[in-house]
Amino acid sequence: MSREAPADADKVSDEELTELLADAEGTTPEEIEHGAFELEIAPPEGATIVDVDE
């Protein structure tokens, strides 16, 4: 029987990530969200997948 954590164990929600980033940067979650909006970050579904082993 394996004792490995499920793949989802290390995932955080968007809100949790925003809070972690804000805390690390010494700012507010609202400022992080505003900055992300200005950068126009594409959703992961629209990202190009690259195989780095090639």
Side-chain angles (χ1 to χ4, degrees):
M1 184 171 185
S2 176
R3 293 189 156 224
E4 292 181 25
D8 294 357
D10 294 332
K11 292 184 181 180
V12 295
S13 69
D14 290 344
E15 292 81 19
E16 291 170 319
L17 179 58
T18 299
E19 290 175 10
L20 289 169
L21 288 170
D23 187 47
E25 293 294 320
T27 187
T28 66
E30 291 78 17
E31 289 180 48
I32 297 292
E33 289 290 333
H34 181 73
F37 180 75
E38 287 181 357
L39 291 174
E40 298 181 28
I41 299 172
E45 301 86 40
T48 302
I49 299 173
V50 179
D51 187 358
V52 296
D53 293 329
E54 288 184 355

